[in-house]
Amino acid sequence: MNAYIAGLIVPLVILLFRNSNNRKRRGLPADVGGEPGFTVRNHRVTSPLTSLWEDVTTLAELFELTCRKNHDRLLLGTRELISREMESSSDGRKFEKLHLGEYQWVTYGKVFESVCSFASGLVKIGHVREERVAIYADTREEWFIALQACFRRNVTVVTIYASLGEEALCHSLNETEVTTVICGRKELKSLVNIAGQLDSVKRVICVDDDVPSDAASAQHGWTITSFSDVERLGRENPVEADLPLSADVAVIMYTSGSTGLPKGVMMTHGNILATVSAVVKIVPELGTKDVYLAYLPMAHILELIAENLFAAVGGCIGYGTPLTLTDTSNKVKKGTKGDATALMPTVLVAVPAILDRVRDGVFKKVNAKGGLSKALFDLAYARRMQAINGSWFGAWGLEKALWNLLVFKKVQAILGGRIRFILCGGAPLSGDSQRFINICLGAPIGQAYGLTETCAGGTFSDFDDTSVGRVGPPKPSTYVKLIDWPEGGYSTTDSPMPRGEIVIGGPSVTLGYFKNEEKTRESYKVDERGMRWFYTGDVGRFHADGCLEIIDRKKDIVKLQHGEYVSLGKVEAVLLGSPFVDNIMLHADSFQSYCVGLVAVSHPALDEWASKQGIAYSDLSELCSKEETVKEVHASLVKEAKKGRLEKFEIPAKLKLLSDPWTPETGLVTAALKIKRDIIRKTFQEELSKLYAK
Ligand SMILES: *[C@@H]1O[C@H](CO)[C@@H](O)[C@H](O)[C@H]1NC(C)=O
Ligand SMILES: *[C@@H]1O[C@H](CO)[C@@H](O)[C@H](O)[C@H]1NC(C)=O
Ligand SMILES: *[C@@H]1O[C@H](CO)[C@@H](O)[C@H](O)[C@H]1NC(C)=O
């Protein structure tokens, strides 16, 4: 009898214990070389993973293997364009709307044939393998095929954002001496604009068949061939593959830098393969049943990893665009389907800004409906929130099924109704949005932290970890080390958690910046055991279970929610030009889309303005709190910003005016009158959070 009860109780106690504490160790301490620090590895591996597939060391081998294994399965899908229509809105503006049909699929076997043909076609049109190819186009089927084709010829691919400015485009193509550019009709226009400055480009391959006639003229110094012609030429003149080695550079990825011109990050086949392997190991049961909706720019490391990943596991990749994602997206013709409902994907990769948009859209709709359906939604949301906050086990079960059926099914339908996992990266995701996804989509969300320089290697949260604000343990392909940063006041001996600058090591860490040894030496180091480390400049702390939380940034450069970088010092220097500003601190928060400013006002200038306006006030702090004063100072900052050619997102959207000057005695500035950012931030914490309150 006792044994019987014990048999019942022990598992129950274990269940409750796990339930309430969620104490699973996700990251474990690791013994590594290099600079001393606090290092953690993923609990699934004892040393960093380089490849999950036996005898596969390059992406070219991986792709050939998966095409052989999944020969008759569907790989790439693109929607048929039924029509383009112009619709006018009520105020007379015209918008292009697309009527898109069903997905048209191509099998692994057929894609492999296209890849081989395109690879041969490159040779036929005169591209030799030592030269580089640039792909400068929107995410689409041809992008993927061209990429794999270059890999088979050991040709390095230079990736460039389709939205990049002409100066940056010219710089990237010049620096890498690209001879063949693969682009769309739209991108071809930018190319023509800078044709005079491009000495190295000899060939352009246009992925759209209708090449504009002015682009083809010989005066630009290049020949134009359509994508399908290159494929045909290759089919008629096949050549053998010329496979790369693991250490050969697969991609030079130009990232929109925080300052100045973009930098090209050199990634080897081994780097990308390591990250792909790591993600396959973490995300549960990735495989042939998975359908992936591809719509992020391929020139972004997340998307490059994701597409190679889904191809590797035998999944399907369906292409879409951010403007046609859902039934109500801007470019979707009324009454027709968006990409998500047409494809019904199982996995989605998103940046936080997109998830925020989905969340706001749903809440707006619910509020507009009001009444009983809002009450039901609120109740369901609150119940699920309690369950998820409380425990992992509570996250599943009968009640969840009930609420899903009654309330959340409609929300899930927006993304096709089959999402089982969301991978989020690129910037930090707010707790609110994470909970929204957990609750309304019923899907776990994996938050990733990584950089282009580490080939997206970094950390990745486990699917069963429902805590917010953390980015998980190191990926199986990386070590994550914290090192002391005394100037910032962070140390690995801090209690209750070790803190410090985040340094990432392992096979995902890239070779460095192309033709920029100085910058490479600044941020990359190889230790005595031969391991490469990248110094991120981000500051983090490790929780007891081995999960990382990002808490600060070493440099004064902050990435806003939509991915724009704000260089605080640069902007402050410009805004100091305003006569009303005695001193200013710009504050940017990665969870927000705008920055705010604290201004120590110039007493005389403000005084003069007030008396001219006939504004009466008893003391300066009263004047500072008046709405009209804030408005006037803001207008003056905007004027300076325009003079200094600042971007709109760099201008503080809201201000707090402070009447007391910042002097070395107050501790807010150094003896040299440089602002002490961290101290000011702490001192005016309350004011700052008020500026962000809606
Ligand atoms: C691949 O190409 C690079 C650059 O042209 C070259 O250095 C390398 O040796 C090539 N790899 C192989 C296996 O031929
Ligand atoms: C690219 O190279 C050409 C020729 O060498 C030069 O005229 C042009 O200014 C360069 N452009 C950039 C952005 O470096
Ligand atoms: C659940 O957690 C979220 C995020 O940490 C928090 O905002 C919310 O207030 C919590 N709700 C409940 C019911 O505990």
Side-chain angles (χ1 to χ4, degrees):
M1 182 70 177
N2 274 350
Y4 178 69
I5 290 177
L8 263 180
I9 284 177
V10 169
L12 202 69
V13 168
I14 292 174
L15 203 74
L16 283 175
F17 178 75
R18 283 190 58 176
N19 213 353
S20 55
N21 286 294
N22 209 0
R23 285 252 179 99
K24 199 163 150 186
R25 290 295 295 263
R26 300 170 191 279
L28 299 168
D31 166 39
V32 296
E35 211 167 318
F38 181 86
T39 310
V40 175
R41 64 171 165 87
N42 193 286
H43 68 95
R44 297 173 180 85
V45 293
T46 49
S47 64
L49 187 66
T50 52
S51 172
L52 262 190
W53 297 272
E54 212 176 319
D55 296 331
V56 167
T57 62
T58 65
L59 296 170
E61 288 166 344
L62 181 60
F63 188 63
E64 189 166 347
L65 174 74
T66 189
C67 286
R68 227 180 309 122
K69 268 206 298 213
N70 301 292
H71 191 269
D72 297 324
R73 289 210 172 87
L74 305 178
L75 172 53
L76 302 180
T78 300
R79 298 183 73 185
E80 180 196 10
L81 176 64
I82 295 175
S83 65
R84 281 174 199 277
E85 293 165 23
M86 295 308 283
E87 245 174 52
S88 3
S89 64
S90 49
D91 59 356
R93 279 183 302 164
K94 283 200 179 327
F95 296 96
E96 188 188 52
K97 299 276 176 181
L98 301 180
H99 183 186
L100 297 166
E102 291 303 316
Y103 275 88
Q104 319 272 315
W105 292 96
V106 191
T107 62
Y108 277 81
K110 287 280 180 232
V111 173
F112 190 67
E113 275 173 32
S114 291
V115 165
C116 293
S117 301
F118 193 84
S120 302
L122 274 179
V123 178
K124 182 67 189 167
I125 63 170
H127 188 97
V128 297
R129 71 163 201 201
E130 289 75 21
E131 299 171 340
R132 296 181 193 94
V133 163
I135 309 184
Y136 173 53
D138 286 330
T139 300
R140 53 194 284 173
E141 207 169 296
E142 289 82 0
W143 214 120
F144 183 87
I145 293 171
L147 181 77
Q148 301 298 341
C150 289
F151 288 169
R152 277 187 80 70
R153 293 292 310 161
N154 184 22
V155 166
T156 299
V157 174
V158 175
T159 68
I160 300 172
Y161 270 92
S163 59
L164 212 62
E166 279 172 11
E167 192 193 356
L169 171 66
C170 187
H171 166 75
S172 321
L173 294 176
N174 259 2
E175 193 169 67
T176 47
E177 298 160 74
V178 160
T179 59
T180 303
V181 181
I182 301 171
C183 64
R185 207 187 132 86
K186 185 175 57 156
E187 293 81 29
L188 193 50
K189 279 208 189 106
S190 315
L191 217 54
V192 168
N193 289 343
I194 56 165
Q197 299 169 60
L198 298 174
D199 286 348
S200 60
V201 177
K202 296 180 199 153
R203 293 166 290 268
V204 172
I205 299 173
C206 187
V207 282
D208 295 296
D209 280 332
D210 50 341
V211 179
S213 56
D214 64 325
S217 74
Q219 72 184 33
H220 303 310
W222 60 53
T223 58
I224 290 203
T225 320
S226 74
F227 194 93
S228 46
D229 277 343
V230 176
E231 238 188 280
R232 182 182 48 78
L233 284 170
R235 228 177 359 256
E236 292 163 5
N237 305 275
V239 292
E240 286 287 301
D242 190 349
L243 295 173
L245 294 176
S246 180
D248 285 328
V249 178
V251 173
I252 300 178
M253 182 169 278
Y254 276 84
T255 61
S256 49
S258 44
T259 46
L261 290 165
K263 294 191 291 260
V265 175
M266 296 182 285
M267 311 176 170
T268 65
H269 282 270
N271 294 150
I272 303 174
L273 182 63
T275 304
V276 168
S277 300
V279 180
V280 173
K281 196 146 179 97
I282 294 170
V283 180
E285 294 168 19
L286 274 179
T288 53
K289 285 199 204 68
D290 280 307
V291 180
Y292 171 66
L293 176 52
Y295 66 95
L296 290 175
M298 260 297 248
H300 193 297
I301 183 64
L302 265 184
E303 185 66 19
L304 187 82
I305 296 288
E307 293 193 26
N308 277 288
L309 170 77
F310 283 95
V313 298
C316 310
I317 301 172
Y319 289 92
T321 74
L323 292 175
T324 54
L325 212 54
T326 67
D327 295 357
T328 54
S329 290
N330 284 342
K331 272 192 135 180
V332 174
K333 185 185 162 188
K334 243 203 172 118
T336 67
K337 280 182 181 173
D339 304 327
T341 35
L343 184 67
M344 301 200 288
T346 62
V347 182
L348 192 72
V349 174
V351 292
I354 287 185
L355 297 180
D356 288 356
R357 219 178 300 153
V358 173
R359 182 198 66 188
D360 293 346
V362 168
F363 282 144
K364 218 166 99 191
K365 235 179 174 170
V366 169
N367 285 331
K369 263 196 180 155
L372 193 62
S373 70
K374 174 169 159 49
L376 191 64
F377 183 90
D378 288 347
L379 175 65
Y381 201 87
R383 289 291 302 169
R384 295 297 308 137
M385 179 72 98
Q386 269 173 1
I388 290 176
N389 276 12
S391 71
W392 178 63
F393 284 91
W396 317 101
L398 206 63
E399 192 183 337
K400 177 183 175 182
L402 182 73
W403 289 126
N404 272 348
L405 193 71
L406 281 177
V407 180
F408 299 125
K409 225 177 153 158
K410 281 182 225 134
V411 180
Q412 288 157 15
I414 296 174
L415 292 175
R418 285 204 305 178
I419 298 283
R420 69 176 188 92
F421 192 83
I422 292 184
L423 193 163
C424 181
L429 177 70
S430 69
D432 284 352
S433 285
Q434 185 183 331
R435 281 289 178 258
F436 169 82
I437 299 296
N438 290 151
I439 292 172
C440 291
L441 296 183
I445 186 159
Q447 277 203 69
Y449 163 73
L451 302 96
T452 310
E453 286 87 341
T454 61
C455 199
T459 66
F460 195 122
S461 64
D462 287 331
F463 75 100
D464 61 350
D465 182 3
T466 53
S467 62
V468 297
R470 315 189 310 165
V471 290
K475 288 198 180 84
S477 63
T478 45
Y479 286 132
V480 175
K481 188 195 278 188
L482 299 180
I483 57 168
D484 289 349
W485 182 35
E487 296 84 352
Y490 295 110
S491 164
T492 53
T493 55
D494 285 346
S495 141
M497 290 178 220
R499 305 190 298 175
E501 182 185 356
I502 299 167
V503 185
I504 296 174
S508 291
V509 178
T510 59
L511 284 186
Y513 302 112
F514 186 71
K515 285 193 188 161
N516 197 337
E517 260 188 49
E518 194 193 323
K519 275 258 151 42
T520 302
R521 237 176 300 127
E522 263 173 37
S523 310
Y524 292 81
K525 278 186 195 150
V526 181
D527 72 18
E528 69 282 3
R529 303 186 195 175
M531 179 154 293
R532 290 183 73 76
W533 296 91
F534 179 74
Y535 288 67
T536 65
D538 291 324
V539 175
R541 63 180 184 187
F542 267 117
H543 288 250
D545 62 353
C547 289
L548 185 71
E549 183 184 347
I550 313 291
I551 53 177
D552 206 343
R553 192 155 167 80
K554 208 171 151 187
K555 297 166 194 130
D556 288 339
I557 292 164
V558 184
K559 194 184 197 179
L560 289 179
Q561 195 190 26
H562 295 287
E564 310 96 333
Y565 284 97
V566 181
S567 169
L568 302 174
K570 178 193 87 176
V571 175
E572 284 157 0
V574 170
L575 299 182
L576 270 172
S578 157
F580 295 119
V581 175
D582 193 35
N583 216 331
I584 181 167
M585 190 187 84
L586 192 71
H587 178 74
D589 181 331
S590 300
F591 291 112
Q592 307 284 349
S593 56
Y594 58 90
C595 15
V596 299
L598 295 173
V599 177
V601 297
S602 156
H603 198 159
L606 214 55
D607 214 349
E608 195 191 333
W609 168 77
S611 62
K612 252 193 213 157
Q613 300 291 312
I615 298 171
Y617 63 97
S618 57
D619 63 11
L620 192 60
S621 73
E622 190 200 330
L623 182 62
C624 282
S625 60
K626 281 183 192 291
E627 209 178 294
E628 48 202 310
T629 316
V630 177
K631 228 168 152 182
E632 177 68 18
V633 174
H634 191 257
S636 153
L637 293 188
V638 171
K639 214 165 110 194
E640 290 304 317
K642 286 213 175 111
K643 257 199 265 168
R645 293 163 151 254
L646 294 185
E647 301 287 342
K648 190 151 175 261
F649 62 80
E650 293 177 306
I651 306 172
K654 292 187 190 169
L655 296 177
K656 172 74 188 174
L657 305 185
L658 303 165
S659 52
D660 294 333
W662 296 349
T663 60
E665 287 77 21
T666 60
L668 297 175
V669 292
T670 66
L673 298 180
K674 274 182 68 179
I675 59 171
K676 293 187 188 166
R677 222 171 267 294
D678 288 347
I679 310 246
I680 296 176
R681 220 177 270 148
K682 276 197 196 110
T683 310
F684 299 106
Q685 206 167 10
E686 207 170 291
E687 282 82 357
L688 285 172
S689 58
K690 271 191 202 146
L691 287 175
Y692 275 127
K694 297 252 158 69

